[in-house]
Amino acid sequence: MIQAFGLTSNPRKELPPAVDDVSFEARAGRVTALLGASGAGKTTALRLMLELQRGRGLTYFRGRPLHRIAHPAREVGVLLGDVPGHPARTVRGHLRMLCAAAGVPVRRADEVLESAGLESLRDERLGALSRGMDRRLGLACALVPDPHTLVCDDPAGALSAQDARWLHGALRAHAAQGGTVLFSTADPKEAARNADHVVTLEKGRIVADQEAVEFSRTRLRPRVAVRTPHAARLAALVTKEARTARRSVEVVPEGGNRLAVYGSTCADIGETAFRNGILVHQLADEVGDMGPGAGAVPAARNQERGEADGDRAQVAGAQAAGAPAPPRPASSGAPQHPQADLRQAPATEGGADTTASGTVRHRTPGPRRALAPDGVAHSAAEGPGAAEGPSSGDAPDVLDASDASDASDASRQRASRPFGARLSGSASAVRAAAVTLPPPISVRSAPSPLRPLRYELRRALGVGTGFVVGAVVLLVSAVTAVILARIGHTPQARLLAAWPQQVPLPPAALGAGLLGALAFGDEFRHPALAADRGTVPRRMGLLTAKLVVSAATALLLAALTVGCDTEVLRLFYGSELAQAPADWPALSAGWLGLVVGCAWSGVLAAGVFRSTSAGLAAVVAVPVVVVPLVQKVWQGPSVRTAAGFPMRVREILLTQWPFGGERYVAEALRLVAQPVGGAMTLSLTTLLCAYLLTTLRSRVR
């Protein structure tokens, strides 16, 4: 069950808030539609409920706000648009990656594939899916953690009729199993067809909260759509015949050669056109929209209407018993005259209407009014039966002027009353409640994947980018090594690494940095983890998994590069140039440290700046900018030097390391003490601190 209280968006400069004091419920086992035209505030309301946008209000999902739920994806499944996945990833690979993120068994991917009807497309790329298949995949992604609640923003928008029927059938099946379903739409017919309850928004406020049956009866009216080049003549003839037969018919010109006729049938209009020789291009039965809030009763009037119904029941009982009717309270606002049948056909939002005599009357858009027998105009939107078409045969209830004024006053009071205020006869109670404001809504980051290492492996291996980058690095390294060996004057260590003196970084280090930058860059470009909470999570578990996978990839790439270069040099120039240097342990440690450091710089920089380009730029900036600065500081005048530092470290840590470990410690310290090693260490430390700072800042907010 979803309970939304006082949802209010932050105002934008001088504009009013897009959503203002919206409160409603969506019950379990039912499908609830949030209806409104474009700009009515549907998407803003959903984003406030999901804590994706700052504002005020409170939303409970089965009694708990979203930020109090340990794993929101297991409670609320979200479909807000297209699937945010890498276009080169397969459908099955994307779902398996989300299974690792949600901490569910991988077989769940095949289950949702079957339920979504995507078995034949499991190996299809996301970028090749049609609109309908993409929406099916989006629903499958939302169902991976098996949530209780589904929240969808215009799920059937721009879909074919067949795909829309399937989608709403899937939502209905989820509700039939006890789940809660809330979807937004701009089509009242879609809401009436597929929902059990309809909440109507207009200009950021709720104007109607109705059951689907009541919504269909009060807002949607049957009509006949007519298209003819003689629209004005046909409208006059239909009006004349309706006046003669004393039938209630409403003719609404819709511009050009189109008419909308309420209270008649295709047969009657066709016979009229045939008798008078009028050419008709279109004649079809349709359902007309009466506009937002048609037939709705404001929430502030519910109590008064209940009291009025009780008074009517008492009057009826007293009349049946032959006793005088009990006196009505003056504050009830009930009419002092008995109800009578309504002889006026209900009007529409704009266009023209006809009375029982068949007169056509052009009107401007506005609230629908009806004339009671006493000649007083009343609001047809206040009565649940006032919006019925003339063809229904039932006379709507009549509301007098006092009812209409009370309803307008109550609706204005409700619109200006803040969250927490209640109807009260005391003005002081209302003023005291006005101080209460709905709690603020903070945008919080999503939790980390439950299996981050498995998720990162599936993310990295699910697309061919890593394999392409590795192949390019090996090819460029081999060609560079051959050219350097032919030119000569290149040290053996740089020759095996394919690292010219004029280039700040070798191809392997650049490739490792690029793969590291893509580890977070792809997350922000294709935010698969942000589909339910709107932002890529900044969690230490996810960061650790990315650092581990990028380090393993960098080590593998460094080893393959040296091995490939060695074999190519042996093939072209013999074994003389393919021999390992004498100090190969220290050189190997430095080589591996350089490649891994570049990979980690790319990961951290892309995570901080949310961009692959920024991550790669940080990798290149280490030898180009940071190393000269470190060298300048290192070579500057100093009173003391760090001579004998490794020996003193060995004396402090322990007298003797097992298996000669002090030698490796000394080599590592020597590498760090070098300008390149110091610059890399400084860069990694700075980026890690920046990442931790942004993570803590997001948590505090």
Side-chain angles (χ1 to χ4, degrees):
M1 179 177 181
I2 304 176
Q3 296 172 301
F5 303 102
L7 298 179
T8 304
S9 62
N10 292 333
R12 300 159 294 177
K13 296 182 180 180
E14 301 298 331
L15 300 178
V19 173
D20 189 8
D21 194 18
V22 171
S23 303
F24 65 93
E25 290 184 356
R27 298 186 176 274
R30 310 186 69 193
V31 179
T32 304
L34 193 61
L35 176 64
S38 178
K42 307 184 299 297
T43 302
T44 303
L46 295 182
R47 291 180 63 84
L48 289 172
M49 294 171 59
L50 298 172
E51 298 179 359
L52 300 178
Q53 182 173 331
R54 293 180 180 272
R56 288 191 172 273
L58 193 62
T59 303
Y60 287 114
F61 295 90
R62 289 203 292 181
R64 294 178 297 172
L66 201 61
H67 62 271
R68 296 293 184 184
I69 302 175
H71 305 296
R74 294 185 175 181
E75 177 64 30
V76 183
V78 178
L79 178 59
L80 297 181
D82 297 337
V83 177
H86 198 288
R89 200 180 305 278
T90 63
V91 171
R92 189 168 183 261
H94 185 76
L95 290 175
R96 289 167 69 92
M97 184 183 70
L98 294 181
C99 287
V104 299
V106 71
R107 64 175 180 273
R108 178 66 178 167
D110 297 326
E111 294 176 1
V112 296
L113 274 175
E114 182 179 358
S115 62
L118 297 172
E119 305 97 325
S120 60
L121 300 177
R122 63 177 60 198
D123 295 326
E124 193 75 19
R125 305 291 178 180
L126 297 187
L129 294 179
S130 63
R131 179 78 171 178
M133 295 299 104
D134 184 85
R135 285 303 173 91
R136 291 197 183 200
L137 178 59
L139 185 59
C141 294
L143 292 174
V144 161
D146 195 16
H148 176 270
T149 303
L150 285 180
V151 177
C152 307
D153 185 16
D154 195 14
L159 293 184
S160 63
Q162 181 180 359
D163 291 333
R165 280 195 301 270
W166 180 92
L167 186 64
H168 284 294
L171 297 179
R172 174 65 62 183
H174 184 80
Q177 296 176 359
T180 304
V181 176
L182 173 65
F183 74 93
S184 66
T185 180
D187 186 2
K189 300 176 186 177
E190 179 185 357
R193 234 180 355 252
N194 302 293
D196 301 314
H197 193 85
V198 182
V199 179
T200 306
L201 284 178
E202 184 180 14
K203 296 181 180 179
R205 292 179 176 271
I206 292 182
V207 296
D209 192 339
Q210 306 164 292
E211 295 294 322
V213 176
E214 182 71 11
F215 172 80
S216 300
R217 187 175 67 86
T218 57
R219 176 161 177 174
L220 302 179
R221 293 175 56 196
R223 67 182 182 184
V224 179
V226 184
R227 187 163 59 89
T228 172
H230 309 285
R233 181 185 172 197
L234 181 60
L237 291 173
V238 170
T239 301
K240 180 179 179 181
E241 291 187 0
R243 186 186 302 113
T244 302
R246 301 192 61 80
R247 290 188 293 108
S248 178
V249 176
E250 179 182 0
V251 182
V252 180
E254 294 188 343
N257 57 357
R258 297 180 61 87
L259 296 175
V261 182
Y262 296 89
S264 185
T265 62
C266 290
D268 293 340
I269 297 175
E271 291 176 0
T272 301
F274 178 77
R275 285 195 304 267
N276 295 274
I278 297 177
L279 177 65
V280 176
H281 292 161
Q282 181 188 14
L283 193 63
D285 289 319
E286 288 184 355
V287 176
D289 182 12
M290 298 295 296
V297 180
R301 295 279 295 164
N302 287 344
Q303 183 178 1
E304 297 179 8
R305 285 205 176 277
E307 295 175 357
D309 292 341
D311 293 341
R312 291 192 186 98
Q314 291 181 6
V315 172
Q319 291 177 351
R328 299 287 297 276
S331 60
S332 64
Q336 301 299 324
H337 56 79
Q339 293 185 357
D341 292 339
L342 186 66
R343 302 300 180 185
Q344 168 83 15
T348 59
E349 293 290 329
D353 62 73
T354 57
T355 61
S357 61
T359 305
V360 179
R361 193 167 52 214
H362 293 274
R363 298 169 293 105
T364 57
R368 302 190 307 113
R369 294 284 177 176
L371 290 178
D374 58 356
V376 182
H378 310 295
S379 173
E382 296 294 333
E388 290 186 8
S391 60
S392 62
D394 298 331
D397 294 338
V398 180
L399 300 178
D400 64 354
S402 60
D403 277 340
S405 62
D406 290 345
S408 61
D409 293 341
S411 62
R412 284 195 296 269
Q413 291 177 2
R414 180 177 179 273
S416 61
R417 186 172 62 253
F419 175 81
R422 296 292 184 266
L423 288 177
S424 175
S426 174
S428 61
V430 175
R431 285 195 297 269
V435 182
T436 306
L437 292 175
I441 299 176
S442 300
V443 179
R444 297 174 174 88
S445 61
S448 60
L450 299 182
R451 299 174 183 175
L453 187 58
R454 184 177 300 180
Y455 165 81
E456 181 60 22
L457 286 173
R458 295 191 183 280
R459 187 207 62 79
L461 300 177
V463 295
T465 305
F467 301 101
V468 173
V469 171
V472 172
V473 166
L474 293 179
L475 179 60
V476 173
S477 298
V479 173
T480 304
V482 171
I483 295 175
L484 291 178
R486 182 176 181 85
I487 295 174
H489 309 292
T490 302
Q492 185 71 10
R494 282 185 169 264
L495 186 61
L496 294 179
W499 189 356
Q501 296 283 353
Q502 297 79 11
V503 178
L505 287 175
L510 287 174
L514 176 59
L515 293 178
L518 288 173
F520 259 127
D522 281 347
E523 293 284 5
F524 293 107
R525 187 178 180 185
H526 309 290
L529 292 180
D532 57 341
R533 298 301 303 276
T535 178
V536 177
R538 291 182 177 274
R539 303 292 178 179
M540 291 306 299
L542 183 61
L543 175 62
T544 303
K546 290 186 179 298
L547 292 178
V548 170
V549 173
S550 62
T553 305
L555 291 175
L556 179 61
L557 188 60
L560 289 177
T561 300
V562 173
C564 181
D565 294 345
T566 302
E567 292 300 324
V568 170
L569 291 175
R570 180 180 289 110
L571 176 63
F572 277 86
Y573 303 107
S575 58
E576 181 180 356
L577 293 179
Q579 294 179 357
D583 55 344
W584 66 268
L587 293 174
S588 299
W591 169 246
L592 296 178
L594 174 66
V595 178
V596 172
C598 289
W600 284 358
S601 297
V603 171
L604 294 172
V608 171
F609 300 108
R610 299 172 175 260
S611 171
T612 304
S613 302
L616 190 58
V619 173
V620 178
V622 171
V624 175
V625 178
V626 182
V627 169
L629 293 178
V630 174
Q631 285 179 339
K632 186 175 181 179
V633 173
W634 216 260
Q635 296 173 359
S638 60
V639 178
R640 294 182 178 88
T641 61
F645 179 70
M647 186 62 66
R648 289 193 296 272
V649 170
R650 185 181 66 176
E651 294 175 356
I652 293 174
L653 296 179
L654 275 179
T655 57
Q656 189 70 24
W657 286 68
F659 307 105
E662 70 276 0
R663 182 179 62 181
Y664 299 102
V665 175
E667 291 293 341
L669 293 175
R670 185 171 66 86
L671 291 174
V672 174
Q674 293 177 357
V676 177
M680 185 66 68
T681 305
L682 178 62
S683 300
L684 290 177
T685 304
T686 304
L687 291 173
L688 182 59
C689 292
Y691 186 88
L692 294 177
L693 179 62
T694 54
T695 301
L696 293 176
R697 183 182 178 185
S698 63
R699 288 186 180 182
V700 169
R701 286 187 303 178

